[in-house]
Amino acid sequence: MTDEMMSLRTLLEKSSDAELLREMVGFAAQRLMELEVESLTGAAHGERSAERINHRNGYRDRVWETRAGAVELRIPKLRRSSYFPGFLEPRRMAEKALAAVIQEAYIQGVSTRSVDELVKAMGMTGISKSQVSRLCGEIDDKVAAFLNRPLEGEWPYLWLDATYVKVREQGRIVSVAVIVAVAVNGDGRREGLGISIGVSEAETFWTEFLRSLARRGLRGVKLVISDAHEGLKAAVAKVLHACWQRCRVHFMRNVLAYAGKQGRRVVAAFIGTAFVQDDAEAARTQWRQVADQLRPKVPKLAALMDDAETDVLAFMSFPKDHRLKIHSTNPLERLNGEIKRRTEVVGIFPNEAASGSSAPFSSSRMMNGPSSALAT
């Protein structure tokens, strides 16, 4: 199982989702070489120009070993003189700077300044501001294509959560919700499916977001895990027709607020006995017994347990090997932490599109065992 606490870079570098980072590094490096050669020849590839001072002469293949893996490059050749990109020089750690720019495309939208600095860090010369601008647009398009890619196969488990960031809107600074969806497919691989931005977590907002995932191919969802939010819960029932699991961790925080400082440890231990039962029926029986024991002394806590029983114990009806990972939104908490950590550096986003690029997505192995076990 992939370590849940991996950093953004490690997650991206270990992504099995079309080896996204490696693909993007290769794409950007290839485009930078093409732009540099365009400046050296005085004309774009195939362009007739009176200002042309040299001609191309095909390509030579070269494998570039990077932290993201082996990248296959096609280095342009010139008819007069030779061309060799500076970033391939021995000991030049250029791919580190390139990977940082690609990741910035996730975090806040790639900027011309960051690409201009990248060009200098890679030892390349002669690339104009307009060429840098063109490359920025191409990188943004690649990232957008990834975030809107078709979803194939079935996705039995889906986690949903939201975090808030500050955005500048018409001269004002407002707080907007960044909602994130992560799911596990039939092979046990976890992937970030999508993000969306809205002014609040209203039911209409969640409904449209889930419908957008469905239009991209999301199907086969059997359990949705999230915090208790009535708008989200209603949207799940309307669009996905799946079971809903109330995050056990968040629920326990709510419950223990009624227990008092002295009784929290005892109450947590009592309720925890329901979670270690072998099956759903035994868990429900134990849950009700605990609630009845607590009712005389803490009636509000017992009433909360009565109301939440079905939602908090939904995960108990799924395979035992999966329960540890599907009872809470913990798989999303680290992702939201990464978003928060990076958005704090940015401070205030210039627009919603920039904030929408703040979610670092990757895929990793989350569950062991055959896909048939996940499809239960």
Side-chain angles (χ1 to χ4, degrees):
M1 184 183 73
T2 301
D3 185 359
E4 300 282 350
M5 302 301 288
M6 297 169 82
S7 66
L8 170 63
R9 171 167 294 169
T10 307
L11 280 170
L12 285 174
E13 290 175 356
K14 291 187 179 295
S15 171
S16 59
D17 199 356
E19 298 295 341
L20 179 66
L21 182 59
R22 184 173 64 182
E23 179 184 325
M24 291 292 291
V25 166
F27 166 78
Q30 193 69 49
R31 291 296 294 127
L32 284 168
M33 287 191 295
E34 297 290 347
L35 293 174
E36 188 173 38
V37 168
E38 182 179 314
S39 299
L40 292 174
T41 58
H45 191 283
E47 179 187 11
R48 294 181 178 274
S49 172
E51 298 178 358
R52 179 183 287 279
I53 57 176
N54 204 340
H55 291 78
R56 291 168 174 263
N57 190 28
Y59 294 89
R60 65 179 182 276
D61 295 331
R62 171 73 177 264
V63 175
W64 186 27
E65 294 294 340
T66 74
R67 292 171 180 79
V71 175
E72 296 182 1
L73 297 177
R74 301 183 69 222
I75 302 174
K77 295 165 63 178
L78 298 177
R79 189 169 298 173
R80 293 191 301 274
S81 74
S82 61
Y83 169 72
F84 189 77
F87 61 83
L88 289 182
E89 294 175 4
R91 295 181 298 279
R92 182 180 286 278
M93 310 300 284
E95 94 277 2
K96 183 176 180 180
L98 182 53
V101 168
I102 299 303
Q103 289 165 9
E104 186 175 328
Y106 280 79
I107 298 165
Q108 55 183 312
V110 68
S111 67
T112 54
R113 179 190 298 176
S114 65
V115 173
D116 201 34
E117 292 173 351
L118 166 69
V119 170
K120 295 174 183 175
M122 296 180 76
M124 308 184 83
T125 58
I127 298 181
S128 67
K129 296 290 185 183
S130 62
Q131 290 173 320
V132 168
S133 240
R134 196 191 332 167
L135 179 58
C136 288
E138 291 171 345
I139 292 175
D140 278 340
D141 289 343
K142 286 278 187 180
V143 173
F146 169 72
L147 294 177
N148 292 285
R149 69 198 183 282
L151 304 175
E152 299 178 352
E154 296 196 343
W155 304 84
Y157 302 128
L158 174 67
W159 290 261
L160 297 171
D161 201 4
T163 189
Y164 283 80
V165 299
K166 293 180 180 178
V167 169
R168 197 177 302 278
E169 184 180 276
Q170 298 179 348
R172 298 180 298 112
I173 297 173
V174 298
S175 183
V176 298
V178 179
I179 61 175
V180 183
V182 169
V184 165
N185 68 6
D187 295 327
R189 191 178 72 249
R190 183 186 63 195
E191 294 187 16
L193 300 189
I195 61 174
S196 189
I197 311 296
V199 295
S200 71
E201 295 181 71
E203 179 184 340
T204 53
F205 181 42
W206 280 110
T207 299
E208 178 52 37
F209 177 63
L210 294 179
R211 283 175 175 165
S212 72
L213 295 180
R215 287 192 293 268
R216 288 170 50 201
L218 178 66
R219 60 184 175 85
V221 178
K222 299 187 181 337
L223 183 68
V224 177
I225 306 99
S226 75
D227 192 10
H229 189 287
E230 291 303 318
L232 189 160
K233 186 177 179 181
V236 167
K238 183 186 299 183
V239 179
L240 300 178
H241 311 291
C243 294
W244 177 64
Q245 168 66 41
R246 181 174 179 176
C247 175
R248 200 175 85 185
V249 175
H250 285 87
F251 171 77
M252 289 301 293
R253 290 174 188 165
N254 296 337
V255 163
L256 296 180
Y258 291 98
K261 291 183 179 181
Q262 302 300 321
R264 288 179 184 177
R265 188 168 298 179
V266 174
V267 169
F270 276 175
I271 297 176
T273 59
F275 301 139
V276 296
Q277 301 301 312
D278 289 333
D279 55 55
E281 185 57 38
R284 286 191 289 268
T285 299
Q286 181 65 18
W287 185 272
R288 287 190 288 269
Q289 288 178 355
V290 172
D292 290 340
Q293 288 177 335
L294 294 172
R295 203 176 308 278
K297 293 186 176 180
V298 199
K300 289 185 178 180
L301 191 157
L304 184 59
M305 290 185 64
D306 292 340
D307 293 338
E309 177 185 332
T310 301
D311 299 331
V312 176
L313 295 179
F315 76 103
M316 291 295 299
S317 299
F318 290 83
K320 191 172 184 178
D321 292 344
H322 300 171
R323 293 174 192 169
L324 181 64
K325 303 178 183 72
I326 63 173
H327 67 69
S328 73
T329 57
N330 280 352
L332 262 180
E333 293 300 323
R334 178 60 178 175
L335 183 61
N336 278 342
E338 292 288 347
I339 294 173
K340 278 295 186 184
R341 188 163 68 86
R342 283 157 176 77
T343 55
E344 285 172 1
V345 174
V346 177
I348 300 170
F349 287 94
N351 50 54
E352 284 191 5
S355 65
S357 298
S358 63
F361 281 145
S362 66
S363 64
S364 60
R365 192 74 182 176
M366 185 170 182
M367 297 182 179
N368 299 317
S371 57
S372 58
L374 285 172
T376 301

